Amino acid sequence: GAVVSQHPSWVICKSGTSVKIECRSLDFQATTMFWYRQFPKQSLMLMATSNEGSKATYEQGVEKDKFLINHASLTLSTLTVTSAHPEDSSFYICSAEEPVDEQFFGPGTRLTVL
Amino acid sequence: SQQGEEDPQALSIQEGENATMNCSYKTSINNLQWYRQNSGRGLVHLILIRSNEREKHSGRLRVTLDTSKKSSSLLITASRAADTASYFCATDGRRGNNRLAFGKGNQVVVIP
């Protein structure tokens, strides 16, 4: 089956620093990837849709200058949390869409900002 | 507004019993999917049911969809301790871009 990986699986950083999270589709090409955020005991909230070779589409209320998304290839999308603050601490999950329109989810990245 | 809102409940059952969860949504959909998430982990896709389907089975899972009531149910039969997880439904609205809207999730605990 299709596999999506994320790196790192967890990261701890100081307030004010930037953190980059990678999402890779390992055995298929994904023209579209999605980034979600999940707070403890809550559901997944879609942050943005990442399209290869074009700008990401952000959901309402998500700051595009704070959450930079780059989808430079058909197998890699990155999410950079810039100037991270404790309230950005969350579980970030990506998904990659196969050409047949099924989404496969990565294992998630736990971000803790001190 | 949020799509795919499950009844906000935590379910605790004995191993071997059946577990039923419900999900309701607000707008028209192309399909509805159920996912499982173990604590602190990613999502595992369980089953997809299309808007023109009413019931679907996969192993011990049974999903129903009632588009007139905009609701779905997930039944896990003969539950096992390994079924302990959070279960989410997600809807794919008719927006043509496959953006999924997730519900709040149901926490299921299966007691051995």
Side-chain angles (χ1 to χ4, degrees):
Chain A
V3 179
V4 176
S5 70
Q6 281 185 241
H7 178 79
S9 55
W10 59 270
V11 56
I12 301 173
C13 69
K14 292 182 179 180
S15 186
T17 61
S18 294
V19 175
K20 179 185 285 188
I21 302 170
E22 294 184 349
C23 177
R24 293 181 185 272
S25 56
L26 298 185
D27 49 3
F28 67 99
Q29 293 184 330
T31 55
T32 303
M33 292 184 175
F34 301 88
W35 286 96
Y36 298 84
R37 180 168 54 183
Q38 185 181 32
F39 291 108
K41 298 190 185 301
Q42 294 189 26
S43 188
L44 280 74
M45 295 299 294
L46 179 65
M47 299 174 67
T49 303
S50 168
N51 296 298
E52 186 268 336
S54 65
K55 291 183 179 180
T57 303
Y58 291 81
E59 295 299 303
Q60 191 173 9
V62 178
E63 300 175 60
K64 62 180 181 180
D65 293 331
K66 180 165 185 63
F67 299 99
L68 301 179
I69 291 173
N70 184 281
H71 194 156
S73 77
L74 288 172
T75 59
L76 172 64
S77 175
T78 61
L79 168 68
T80 301
V81 183
T82 62
S83 186
H85 291 281
E87 57 264 32
D88 298 323
S89 298
S90 188
F91 193 54
Y92 292 87
I93 303 175
C94 74
S95 69
E97 187 177 79
E98 256 200 326
V100 290
D101 293 339
E102 184 171 348
Q103 287 187 40
F104 296 90
F105 285 80
T109 296
R110 172 82 50 200
L111 170 64
T112 300
V113 184
L114 301 177
Chain B
S1 61
Q2 185 174 25
Q3 293 265 58
E5 299 180 356
E6 294 90 64
D7 290 351
Q9 63 178 337
L11 189 62
S12 184
I13 57 175
Q14 294 290 330
E15 200 167 30
E17 295 181 340
N18 296 340
T20 301
M21 289 153 271
N22 298 302
C23 168
S24 60
Y25 56 92
K26 296 180 179 178
T27 62
S28 296
I29 61 171
N30 282 324
N31 59 61
L32 184 146
Q33 302 178 67
W34 283 91
Y35 291 87
R36 184 184 74 222
Q37 183 181 37
N38 291 89
S39 181
R41 307 292 294 274
L43 296 179
V44 174
H45 183 262
L46 295 177
I47 196 165
L48 178 151
I49 186 165
R50 301 196 183 280
S51 59
N52 61 352
E53 297 176 309
R54 292 297 167 259
E55 188 172 312
K56 202 163 184 179
H57 297 254
S58 177
R60 294 184 295 112
L61 305 179
R62 173 176 169 258
V63 169
T64 64
L65 179 64
D66 187 335
T67 53
S68 67
K69 295 181 180 178
K70 292 186 168 56
S71 67
S72 173
S73 68
L74 171 67
L75 168 68
I76 304 174
T77 61
S79 64
R80 304 167 183 170
D83 295 328
T84 294
S86 292
Y87 292 83
F88 297 91
C89 77
T91 54
D92 175 2
R94 292 181 177 175
R95 293 160 292 191
N97 57 9
N98 288 332
R99 288 156 64 221
L100 295 179
F102 282 83
K104 296 188 180 109
N106 275 284
Q107 176 67 47
V108 175
V109 175
V110 181
I111 302 168

